Amino acid sequence: MQIKSIIGLMVSCSLFLAGCDDSTDSIADAVIDTVETEVEDVIDNIVAVDPSLFALNSLESIEMVDCTLSNGDASTCYSVTVNGFPADRNELGPFCPESTETTAEDAGKWFDGGVLYDLTGSFVSNLSVFYGDSKWQLYDKDTGLVNITDTQLACEAAVRPDVAAEYNNFCVQCDISYYNEAAGEGVSSTYLIPVTPVLRDTPEDIEHTDVGVAFNGVNLAAAAPTQAILSAYTIAAFDDCIGHVNPVAGYHYHGANHGDGTCPAIDYENDGHGGAFAYAMDGFAIHSMLNQSGEEETDLDECRGHSDDNRGYHYHAAGAGENTFIGCFAGEVAR
Ligand SMILES: [Zn+2]
Ligand SMILES: [Zn+2]
């Protein structure tokens, strides 16, 4: 139970910040050393969660707690509280294009049918053709300016399930500053993740629950409700990392973009295997879709997982435009 005492140290450090700065590195090293000694062996294809993978500046606290798994078994979970702002970035966005002239560099993304698109001015001008519906008119015909929800009131009215008619034909974006006091902070959330994952007999569908949490502190959200969004003639713009802000979750991801971006950041493993960037709620790691040579694994199961001797059971993310990360939970989640 060496991990427990180290984590306890981290927690008390985060509670009593004074005097902690000097010891941050040594705490990180201690956590890593501890984990390396305790998690050397892959037993029955299960590797315990490694708390040192979380970026220290994304964490508010991490502690071990009693928990009950979805099969009813009593277990031990990490209670991980993150501040919700991506630890590997300084700012979010851009999301919506300002005008029909805006190029990809100054705009975010939208996805449909498994494809990730640059949400450029010309993409926005073409929506009525793209969706075969002449009611799409996201911009002012005279000025070319795109209708953007640029106040907290407007963004919250436009992200509700029953979007007010006055916010039809808006590109929706919410600023993270509506939901926190300080720059570089997000909306904090706590995740309960089994310390030692437990494989289920039959996989569990992911519907409206969180999929997991990235090591950089960002929520991996359930699928975006694209039908509801589009039926209100809105586009819930993502940034290039396939993330956006809502009032409840703050900044959250709807996909992993390791293709033309590096978000969330990964390091390929020594053998060229895809790098891990998140834990799913069942405690299995999620790795990048592709390996260092740009190839996808060929033996993935319906949950997009597989096992090997080094890594045990783990997932590989779906394509950046697929509105999902993994196919299902192969393991028990905490209730
Ligand atoms: Zn969302
Ligand atoms: Zn793999």
Side-chain angles (χ1 to χ4, degrees):
M1 282 295 98
Q2 215 181 338
I3 289 183
K4 199 163 191 170
S5 59
I6 298 296
I7 299 303
L9 179 59
M10 256 175 97
V11 172
S12 50
C13 192
S14 65
L15 291 175
F16 306 102
L17 282 174
C20 270
D21 285 353
D22 292 346
S23 58
T24 304
D25 286 344
S26 58
I27 292 170
D29 290 344
V31 171
I32 290 163
D33 287 349
T34 308
V35 167
E36 278 177 356
T37 54
E38 295 217 350
V39 190
E40 268 175 358
D41 295 317
V42 179
I43 301 162
D44 295 335
N45 287 328
I46 301 294
V47 174
V49 167
D50 178 352
S52 72
L53 292 174
F54 287 100
L56 280 180
N57 57 341
S58 76
L59 284 174
E60 289 183 1
S61 67
I62 183 165
E63 58 184 324
M64 279 176 153
V65 297
D66 294 335
C67 58
T68 304
L69 301 184
S70 36
N71 63 0
D73 285 357
S75 186
T76 306
C77 289
Y78 285 114
S79 173
V80 182
T81 300
V82 294
N83 66 29
F85 194 91
D88 47 2
R89 288 170 69 193
N90 296 319
E91 55 184 29
L92 307 177
F95 300 98
C96 297
E98 273 181 35
S99 80
T100 52
E101 306 291 314
T102 303
T103 58
E105 193 183 345
D106 297 315
K109 302 281 187 189
W110 181 241
F111 53 40
D112 201 278
V115 180
L116 188 66
Y117 295 96
D118 287 319
L119 188 58
T120 59
S122 64
F123 185 88
V124 161
S125 337
N126 192 48
L127 282 170
S128 57
V129 175
F130 188 83
Y131 284 116
D133 182 340
S134 60
K135 293 200 191 74
W136 281 98
Q137 180 63 49
L138 223 61
Y139 60 98
D140 185 293
K141 276 183 184 157
D142 295 330
T143 63
L145 292 176
V146 174
N147 307 327
I148 298 173
T149 56
D150 52 7
T151 65
Q152 182 171 357
L153 190 73
C155 99
E156 291 180 1
V159 298
R160 282 167 40 188
D162 51 336
V163 178
E166 61 188 299
Y167 292 108
N168 287 359
N169 270 312
F170 265 78
C171 182
V172 180
Q173 63 181 36
C174 299
D175 199 296
I176 193 67
S177 67
Y178 304 152
Y179 307 108
N180 63 47
E181 308 277 303
E185 284 184 10
V187 173
S188 86
S189 307
T190 298
Y191 300 84
L192 212 50
I193 299 172
V195 169
T196 305
V198 178
L199 280 166
R200 297 171 57 93
D201 294 333
T202 49
E204 183 178 84
D205 286 347
I206 300 169
E207 289 184 357
H208 305 296
T209 54
D210 291 333
V211 176
V213 55
F215 303 151
N216 69 1
V218 175
N219 173 274
L220 269 50
T226 50
Q227 284 314 315
I229 293 166
L230 295 172
S231 67
Y233 298 95
T234 57
I235 296 287
F238 306 117
D239 62 13
D240 287 353
C241 294
I242 322 178
H244 60 187
V245 174
N246 76 22
V248 178
Y251 184 71
H252 57 282
Y253 291 133
H254 286 292
N257 190 8
H258 298 116
D260 65 297
T262 51
C263 27
I266 53 161
D267 289 321
Y268 291 100
E269 304 208 339
N270 290 338
D271 58 0
H273 194 94
F277 64 90
Y279 277 117
M281 295 307 297
D282 58 11
F284 290 117
I286 307 178
H287 291 241
S288 58
M289 179 186 188
L290 304 178
N291 66 19
Q292 198 160 16
S293 312
E295 295 156 343
E296 189 170 9
E297 303 293 333
T298 55
D299 60 345
L300 299 180
D301 62 22
E302 60 186 302
C303 297
R304 300 193 55 80
H306 70 164
S307 299
D308 65 36
D309 291 343
N310 296 327
R311 289 161 281 261
Y313 186 86
H314 60 278
Y315 302 109
H316 285 272
E322 294 190 52
N323 196 11
T324 190
F325 296 92
I326 59 177
C328 38
F329 288 125
E332 308 284 355
V333 296
R335 276 183 182 166

